[in-house]
Amino acid sequence: MSEQSVPRRRIPRGVRIAASILVGVIAYLFGFFTSSMAVTANAWAFSDGKLNDTGLVAVLLLFLVWGLVFLRHRWPWVPFVAGGLLTAGWGDALMLLIAIFHLVIRAPRRQAITASAVGTGLIAFSTLRMCLAPVEHNPFSIFFLPDPAQVTGLEATIPPEDSHLAIRIITIAAGVIGLCTALGVGALLRRTRRMTAVESIAEREALRNESLTAEIARQSERELLARELHDTLSHRLSVISLHTGALEVGAGTDPEVASTASALREEARASMEDLRHLVGGVRNGNLASPRPGRGGSSPPSRATMSAIPELISSVASTGTLIRPLIVIQDVESCPPALDRAAYRIVQEALTNAMKHAPSLPVTVDVAVSAARGIQISVSNPLPHGSGSVDVPPRPRYSPSSAREPGAGVPADGWSPPGSNPVPQRAHLGSAGSGSGLTGIRERAAMFGGEASIGVVGNEFRVQVSFRSFSTPN
């Protein structure tokens, strides 16, 4: 992620609310003071130089009117209307300036222009009225009284003649400075807020573009990988299926060859289905999603632990002697990725045993439960070159005779009666590169499991364990 996309540190909401309330209290107190001083601009508030009852009631109303300053954020038009009335009838423009400031910042452009124009006109009218009124009724005349003690009792005294011009200049300057401050600072903050919003949108769009670019790159890589997988493997699997089908038809007089050819054809067909699923998953990016199984298929049509018995039946149909002990529970509560990884580990361990120790019995122990996790153990005796191992005869039967684990299986493995012993010496170890065992270790580490692979006594053993997984509530 680029430096520009790093999010800015925001002020906590509680701090912003406390600061807003504090500013509101200060504005309330200062505004009430200035409005009280502006009483001197209204002759109707005095009788014989003293504040009369009407003026006293007006001053008391200022307590309520200045309470509207706390609405400046949410409803700035409320203090704007109240400030306009104070400016036109009272001579105090402070609340109007505060409202104009917030409207310029927050209101839509047309409303902000309207408020600025109306406020400017009201302030100009109020300033002109004060300049034309008698000097003793100007609030700024208090700074030019000869003796401050004469203000006692709010007596309206007449300032010296030579101060009249200065009072009018101060009045005009106060109006101009206040209006320019409200409009200028408000416009600056409005622009700043707008630029911040634009930058925020630009950052989001940049992040979105980066995400889309990465997704497009990943999609291109998936498409390339899918094409390579399909073009490389599809043809070869089709040729294998075609040749094994021809071999099965031509070997009518040799049941063993026909059985092996039938098993190979079934494996080739299942591999084609797996390849189609793999290519589609790679292209769509949903490789972990299971696809529906097809009951009765010798090779499993889905990668899940519940299909491990089908996998064992498929391997046993090729003539490999399997000694299974399968206890699987709570598969539906297992995470899909872990479910798929456990199936692939068993599949790869069986493939490794068939390649490096052909015709030797394979012991498969799988125990799955939510409370105890997943325990996988696949072992086979070492080949003759590594020690003396009693190799049982290779059975001869068709894939349709493959049984589910535990159903009429002898204690020493799956071997249908009446099979003729045919010694097998062919080795497939030359076709292996060791990447399968590396993949087992990587899958175990990916999900926090432990993998132990190697020679134990006279056996080559693959042991993998995963910790418990929670059941859904």
Side-chain angles (χ1 to χ4, degrees):
M1 183 181 296
S2 60
E3 296 181 359
Q4 289 81 1
S5 60
V6 177
R8 294 182 177 86
R9 188 174 181 180
R10 295 179 61 87
I11 301 176
R13 180 179 176 83
V15 175
R16 287 187 281 116
I17 293 176
S20 177
I21 293 176
L22 179 61
V23 172
V25 170
I26 295 174
Y28 177 86
L29 296 177
F30 184 74
F32 177 77
F33 172 76
T34 58
S35 296
S36 300
M37 294 297 297
V39 172
T40 58
N42 300 278
W44 49 265
F46 294 90
S47 298
D48 300 329
K50 295 183 179 180
L51 190 67
N52 56 27
D53 294 340
T54 304
L56 182 61
V57 172
V59 171
L60 293 177
L61 288 176
L62 293 177
F63 283 102
L64 300 177
V65 173
W66 271 98
L68 301 176
V69 76
F70 293 98
L71 304 178
R72 66 192 186 280
H73 289 293
R74 186 175 294 273
W75 298 296
W77 282 105
V78 176
F80 179 84
V81 173
L85 295 176
L86 285 178
T87 302
W90 194 269
D92 177 25
L94 181 58
M95 180 177 288
L96 180 62
L97 292 174
I98 293 175
I100 291 175
F101 173 77
H102 285 279
L103 283 169
V104 170
I105 294 177
R106 295 178 173 83
R109 180 182 180 86
R110 182 173 298 179
Q111 294 185 15
I113 294 176
T114 302
S116 301
V118 174
T120 301
L122 290 174
I123 292 174
F125 168 77
S126 177
T127 303
L128 180 61
R129 192 190 68 169
M130 284 189 177
C131 291
L132 297 178
V135 178
E136 61 268 19
H137 293 300
N138 192 311
F140 294 103
S141 63
I142 191 174
F143 299 109
F144 295 91
L145 293 177
D147 186 0
Q150 297 183 19
V151 186
T152 304
L154 293 178
E155 296 178 356
T157 57
I158 301 176
E161 185 72 24
D162 56 355
S163 63
H164 291 184
L165 180 60
I167 292 174
R168 291 186 175 90
I169 293 176
I170 291 176
T171 302
I172 296 173
V176 172
I177 293 175
L179 184 61
C180 292
T181 301
L183 294 177
V185 177
L188 179 62
L189 293 180
R190 180 187 182 92
R191 181 178 179 83
T192 302
R193 288 164 62 96
R194 183 179 179 182
M195 292 301 298
T196 302
V198 170
E199 290 177 2
S200 178
I201 294 174
E203 290 175 2
R204 289 197 298 268
E205 289 298 322
L207 290 176
R208 183 171 176 268
N209 291 337
E210 290 178 4
S211 177
L212 289 176
T213 302
E215 179 62 28
I216 291 173
R218 288 192 295 267
Q219 182 64 30
S220 300
E221 293 174 357
R222 287 197 296 264
E223 291 285 347
L224 177 60
L225 179 59
R227 285 194 300 269
E228 291 296 326
L229 284 172
H230 182 271
D231 296 344
T232 303
L233 299 178
S234 177
H235 172 71
R236 295 188 177 183
L237 289 174
S238 298
V239 172
I240 291 174
S241 180
L242 179 63
H243 283 289
T244 52
L247 180 62
E248 182 181 5
V249 173
T253 59
D254 192 338
E256 182 184 3
V257 174
S259 174
T260 303
S262 177
L264 289 175
R265 183 172 55 82
E266 289 291 330
E267 289 293 339
R269 181 187 56 77
S271 298
M272 286 294 294
E273 293 180 0
D274 288 341
L275 179 61
R276 294 190 189 100
H277 175 62
L278 178 63
V279 170
V282 168
R283 281 176 175 165
N284 300 328
N286 57 351
L287 188 59
S289 61
R291 55 192 174 98
R294 299 180 6 237
S297 175
S298 175
S301 59
R302 63 196 187 281
T304 174
M305 287 187 290
S306 60
I308 289 178
E310 300 176 29
L311 174 63
I312 293 176
S313 298
S314 174
V315 174
S317 68
T318 65
T320 302
L321 184 63
I322 306 293
R323 295 170 179 169
L325 179 58
I326 311 297
V327 180
I328 298 177
Q329 299 175 334
D330 307 321
V331 177
E332 54 281 338
S333 64
C334 181
L338 177 59
D339 184 19
R340 184 184 184 90
Y343 174 86
R344 293 304 184 194
I345 288 173
V346 175
Q347 185 183 46
E348 180 55 39
L350 287 172
T351 302
N352 183 75
M354 289 190 296
K355 287 198 302 184
H356 298 282
S359 301
L360 296 180
V362 181
T363 302
V364 180
D365 294 336
V366 179
V368 179
S369 67
R372 297 188 177 183
I374 302 173
Q375 309 296 327
I376 299 172
S377 176
V378 179
S379 61
N380 60 270
L382 296 176
H384 285 292
S386 301
S388 177
V389 180
D390 221 357
V391 181
R394 178 176 178 179
R396 293 188 301 173
Y397 57 98
S398 63
S400 60
S401 65
R403 309 178 190 180
E404 292 294 326
V409 180
D412 59 345
W414 287 2
S415 179
S419 60
N420 297 325
V422 178
Q424 302 292 330
R425 300 294 182 187
H427 286 268
L428 303 176
S430 60
S433 62
S435 59
L437 299 181
T438 302
I440 291 177
R441 292 190 179 94
E442 291 176 351
R443 280 191 170 97
M446 184 184 303
F447 296 96
E450 297 180 357
S452 175
I453 303 174
V455 177
V456 179
N458 292 328
E459 292 183 333
F460 185 85
R461 185 174 300 170
V462 176
Q463 286 184 314
V464 179
S465 62
F466 296 98
R467 58 178 179 270
S468 60
F469 50 88
S470 302
T471 57
N473 295 328

